[in-house]
């Protein structure tokens, strides 16, 4: 597999993120390159010469897949595939495939399938482009592939409509459960943050739950709620949510909106950040951006700097820098159970 990202010194964490996404799908990366785009090409985004260079490199290495972090349009993706002669995926499709691999519940499976169909629908045109150019019979008749394309498009649109109705039904069940909780007057906290920052581990540490917590991207796709007593007589409902990521495909945000609503309707948000990640500020901005998109930008926030056990104890400059960048945050190591009591006291003070 060959991976391609836009080249800029500040893009290095994003380049590593793309590699991490590919490795999550167990793809073997045999070549990785960054390209600098001065002016976007309408055909490849990158310049024709650079696209040709990457194509030749892929043929030389006998790779069977190219992954682009360039957000190509369906027609640009088609141009890359025609040039290289092998499948070309973009970052959105990689993320959607990871979600499909991780989905275990019926709701998650429905949501992922909806995202897949919404992503593939505009790409159907290019699937049939060669057939639609073939003309047969009298002059002016339609291409031989046009009927097949229209039939498949109607099938996809019909299936999208069915999935949206099924997800709406599941969403109504979730709303009923939420109303029951509201009648009980229990404070709700949603755990949000970048993927693989330690959200599920935090839920497990606080509630004794046994939610799957792996050192992988998007280990959790379902909103999981557990009761929690931060102090005697104090009841809180903690909800673990799907992780965020830079440029999270809108097809996924739309499909998972009913799940992500748990964050938008919570009384308090617990934002979990990976303190050991050099790209922590960008991840924090991504989290806030997605929350604003969900209408959760005004909800009170508790910020946690998790994984402080990975920061060298003698690196006082980094520790001071994190405190200055995230004032009022709680330094924690969920793995070593450091800082849990500070978090409990903070939650109690916000009840």
């Amino acid at each position: 597999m060959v991976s391609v990202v836009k080249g800029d010194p500040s893009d290095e964490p994003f380049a590593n993120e793309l590699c991490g996404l590919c490795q999550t799908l167990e793809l073997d990366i045999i070549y990785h390159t960054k390209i600098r785009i001065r002016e976007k090409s309408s055909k490849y985004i990158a310049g024709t010469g650079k696209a040709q260079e990457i194509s030749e490199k892929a043929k030389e290495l006998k790779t069977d897949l190219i992954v682009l972090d360039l957000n190509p349009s369906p027609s640009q993706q088609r141009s890359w595939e025609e040039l290289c002669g092998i499948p070309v995926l973009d970052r959105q499709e990689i993320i959607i495939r990871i979600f499909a691999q991780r989905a275990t519940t019926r709701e998650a499976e429905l949501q992922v399938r909806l995202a897949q169909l919404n992503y593939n629908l505009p790409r159907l045109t290019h699937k049939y482009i060669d057939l639609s150019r073939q003309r047969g019979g009298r002059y002016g008749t339609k291409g031989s592939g046009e009927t097949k394309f229209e039939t498949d498009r109607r099938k996809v649109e019909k299936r999208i409509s069915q999935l949206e109705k099924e997800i709406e039904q599941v969403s109504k069940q979730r709303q009923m459960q939420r109303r029951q909780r509201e009648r009980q007057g229990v404070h709700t906290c949603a755990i949000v943050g970048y993927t693989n920052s330690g959200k599920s581990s935090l839920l497990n540490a606080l509630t004794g739950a046994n939610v799957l917590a792996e050192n992988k991207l998007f280990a959790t796709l379902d909103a999981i709620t557990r009761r929690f007593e931060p102090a005697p007589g104090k009841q809180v409902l903690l909800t673990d949510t799907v992780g965020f990521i830079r440029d999270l495909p809108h097809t996924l945000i739309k499909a998972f909106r009913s799940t992500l609503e748990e964050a938008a309707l919570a009384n308090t948000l617990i934002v979990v950040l990976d303190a050991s990640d050099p790209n922590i500020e960008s991840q924090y901005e991504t989290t806030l951006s997605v929350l604003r998109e969900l209408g959760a930008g005004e909800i009170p926030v508790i910020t946690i700097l998790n994984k402080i056990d990975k920061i060298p104890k003698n690196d006082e400059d980094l520790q001071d820098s994190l405190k200055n960048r995230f004032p009022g945050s709680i330094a924690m190591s969920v793995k070593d159970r450091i800082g849990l009591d500070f978090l409990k006291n903070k939650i109690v003070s916000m009840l």
Side-chain angles (χ1 to χ4, degrees):
M1 191 207 86
V2 174
S3 64
V4 181
V5 295
K6 287 184 285 188
D8 187 283
S10 63
D11 286 340
E12 188 61 36
F14 298 149
N16 294 336
E17 184 177 273
L18 179 64
C19 291
L21 289 168
C22 294
Q23 288 164 353
T24 299
L25 277 182
E26 299 182 354
L27 298 175
D28 295 326
I29 303 173
I30 60 174
Y31 182 71
H32 178 70
T33 185
K34 292 189 290 184
I35 57 177
R36 185 176 295 277
I37 300 176
R38 292 182 175 84
E39 292 185 13
K40 288 187 177 182
S41 159
S42 59
K43 190 170 185 179
Y44 300 112
I45 301 182
T48 303
K50 180 57 69 173
Q52 187 68 45
E53 178 186 320
I54 293 169
S55 173
E56 291 173 359
K57 187 68 175 180
K59 291 172 183 175
E60 175 192 332
L61 296 172
K62 297 180 180 179
T63 186
D64 53 6
L65 178 67
I66 293 177
V67 177
L68 302 176
D69 193 19
L70 308 178
N71 293 324
S73 66
S75 61
Q76 289 168 335
Q77 192 171 351
R78 170 79 176 182
S79 296
W80 273 95
E81 290 181 338
E82 289 177 341
L83 175 67
C84 303
I86 56 176
V88 176
L89 307 183
D90 64 3
R91 185 172 176 276
Q92 288 194 47
E93 188 165 359
I94 290 293
I95 294 174
I96 290 173
R97 289 189 178 200
I98 293 173
F99 271 57
Q101 191 182 72
R102 292 279 190 267
T104 55
T105 65
R106 173 169 169 71
E107 182 178 11
E109 289 172 355
L110 289 173
Q111 291 167 325
V112 171
R113 186 60 184 145
L114 177 60
Q116 288 174 322
L117 292 177
N118 278 318
Y119 174 84
N120 290 326
L121 185 59
R123 288 161 175 78
L124 279 179
T125 305
H126 304 286
K127 179 180 178 182
Y128 294 103
I129 194 167
D130 295 328
L131 288 172
S132 63
R133 285 172 177 165
Q134 299 172 4
R135 291 185 178 272
R138 294 178 300 170
Y139 175 79
T141 56
K142 295 181 178 180
S144 60
E146 188 171 356
T147 302
K148 174 65 174 171
F149 162 65
E150 290 182 343
T151 301
D152 282 2
R153 185 179 181 87
R154 278 196 298 272
K155 286 180 180 178
V156 171
E157 290 175 338
K158 183 178 179 181
R159 182 60 181 143
I160 286 175
S161 179
Q162 290 173 341
L163 286 170
E164 287 175 339
K165 290 177 181 176
E166 290 182 59
I167 291 173
E168 179 64 24
Q169 191 61 38
V170 175
S171 178
K172 287 179 179 178
Q173 295 172 1
R174 187 186 296 280
Q175 289 171 8
M176 289 176 61
Q177 294 171 350
R178 192 183 297 124
R179 281 196 292 267
Q180 289 175 354
R181 295 199 299 261
E182 288 173 354
R183 282 196 292 268
Q184 295 171 4
V186 181
H187 192 89
T188 57
C189 294
I191 304 174
V192 300
Y194 218 73
T195 180
N196 203 31
S197 59
K199 300 183 300 300
S200 298
S201 296
L202 178 62
L203 180 72
N204 290 340
L206 291 175
T207 67
N210 192 27
V211 175
L212 177 66
E214 295 181 306
N215 187 26
K216 291 182 179 179
L217 301 177
F218 302 113
T220 300
L221 294 187
D222 298 289
I224 300 170
T225 302
R226 296 289 185 271
R227 284 190 176 272
F228 166 56
E229 278 196 7
K234 302 290 185 180
Q235 287 280 335
V236 171
L237 290 176
L238 282 181
T239 300
D240 185 17
T241 61
V242 61
F244 304 150
I245 197 167
R246 175 180 61 96
D247 295 334
L248 186 65
H250 279 270
T251 51
L252 281 174
I253 293 178
K254 181 181 177 182
F256 278 76
R257 182 165 290 278
S258 63
T259 301
L260 293 169
E261 277 179 357
E262 295 294 335
L265 298 173
N267 301 120
T268 304
L269 297 177
I270 300 175
V271 176
V272 183
L273 301 174
D274 182 349
S276 66
D277 196 305
N279 205 32
I280 183 173
E281 286 194 37
S282 175
Q283 294 181 359
Y284 182 59
E285 287 303 319
T286 295
T287 300
L288 295 183
S289 175
V290 175
L291 290 173
R292 285 193 293 268
E293 187 171 346
L294 294 170
E298 302 301 320
I299 299 175
V301 169
I302 299 173
T303 304
I304 290 174
L305 300 179
N306 190 29
K307 304 186 183 181
I308 58 167
D309 53 293
K310 292 187 177 182
I311 299 177
K313 292 182 179 180
N314 57 356
D315 195 344
E316 295 180 0
D317 290 340
L318 177 56
Q319 295 177 19
D320 291 339
S321 174
L322 288 171
K323 289 178 183 177
N324 292 331
R325 280 184 286 175
F326 304 99
S329 59
I330 301 174
M332 290 185 65
S333 169
V334 176
K335 175 186 171 185
D336 295 336
R337 303 187 69 81
I338 297 173
L340 291 178
D341 289 336
F342 288 104
L343 175 59
K344 292 176 183 178
N345 293 334
K346 186 73 172 179
I347 292 174
V348 170
S349 69
M350 296 186 74
L351 290 179

